[in-house]
Amino acid sequence: MKRLRGGSGIGALVCFHFRCIQARRRSRGFFVKKSHTVRNLAARSNSENVLVWLRGAVFVLAACVAAQAGMAQSVRLVPSTARFAGDGSGNATNDGPGSATTIPLTAPTYVASGVSGNIYIADTGNNCIRRVDTSGNMTVAVGEGGGNTCTSASSVTTYTTGVSNPSGVAFNATGDLFVADTGHNCVRRLSAGATGIANLQPLVGTCTDPSSVSVAPAPSGVAVDTAGPLYISLKD
């Protein structure tokens, strides 16, 4: 596992099918090898690629070094590889609050750092976005319903009740959080300082559209560059 270096600022690192994907930047857009499409809100790039954008990322998922038959259960810190979040087990989830290393995660995918230093984790298997503060305590930033809870159950039936298999997470310079709501075929935005599903507003795509007609089918990676455009990797 290598730590990838880039410009200063906020970034995210993803493990895709239990392999770490390295990215390089070209003069227009971002490019890595896999067959997805990279888009932003102003333009589209039809290179056969999936987007993974890295900028000084320091967190990796255990899935990067796990056997393909396994499932990621924690987030680790590079270069020490100390566990940063998740208890490493497949235990039933809980919402916290509590020490990040005592709360189980299920198949976490993307990780992003906010402007205030808090770390946000897409707890994909539990249909929620977690937040780890600078003291190492983990809470739920976006979960299901009014209780703002994480769940691996099928109770997330519509985008108004929760996120479905969320993946990509990224921040802009003002602290807004962008979430790839993969199971609902849309990208959503959480304004800086807000929490809860009621505040996670659709931004790209209609969250009720099936993937066959959605403008954002099964989004995964999301990233915001220094000029402001939002980049999204889509399965189209």
Side-chain angles (χ1 to χ4, degrees), residues 15-170:
C15 296
F16 185 77
H17 292 306
F18 302 102
R19 290 171 290 180
C20 286
I21 303 172
Q22 297 181 352
R24 67 180 185 270
R25 183 172 181 176
R26 300 198 298 185
S27 59
R28 294 177 65 86
F30 296 84
F31 178 88
V32 293
K33 295 180 179 178
K34 283 292 165 189
S35 90
H36 281 206
T37 297
V38 175
R39 298 184 184 179
N40 65 28
L41 294 185
R44 174 173 177 170
S45 170
N46 285 322
S47 52
E48 316 172 342
N49 310 305
V50 58
L51 169 66
V52 180
W53 182 66
L54 301 130
R55 180 184 285 177
V58 294
F59 296 97
V60 300
L61 302 186
C64 292
V65 292
Q68 187 133 354
M71 179 177 288
Q73 306 291 357
S74 63
V75 174
R76 295 183 182 270
L77 180 66
V78 173
S80 71
T81 71
R83 184 177 294 123
F84 174 79
D87 67 355
S89 76
N91 295 330
T93 189
N94 69 71
D95 296 333
S99 173
T101 56
T102 66
I103 297 175
L105 302 173
T106 302
T109 49
Y110 282 70
V111 183
S113 174
V115 294
S116 60
N118 297 320
I119 303 300
Y120 287 71
I121 301 167
D123 190 355
T124 304
N126 290 320
N127 296 319
C128 64
I129 306 297
R130 309 262 192 177
R131 184 184 74 170
V132 182
D133 65 23
T134 55
S135 297
N137 295 311
M138 187 154 66
T139 55
V140 179
V142 179
E144 182 189 7
N148 203 34
T149 186
C150 296
T151 176
S152 56
S154 58
S155 54
V156 179
T157 55
T158 70
Y159 80 96
T160 59
T161 61
V163 288
S164 176
N165 297 315
S167 51
V169 286

Side-chain angles (χ1 to χ4, degrees), residues 213-227:
V213 299
S214 174
V215 298
S220 51
V222 292
V224 184
D225 72 16
T226 55

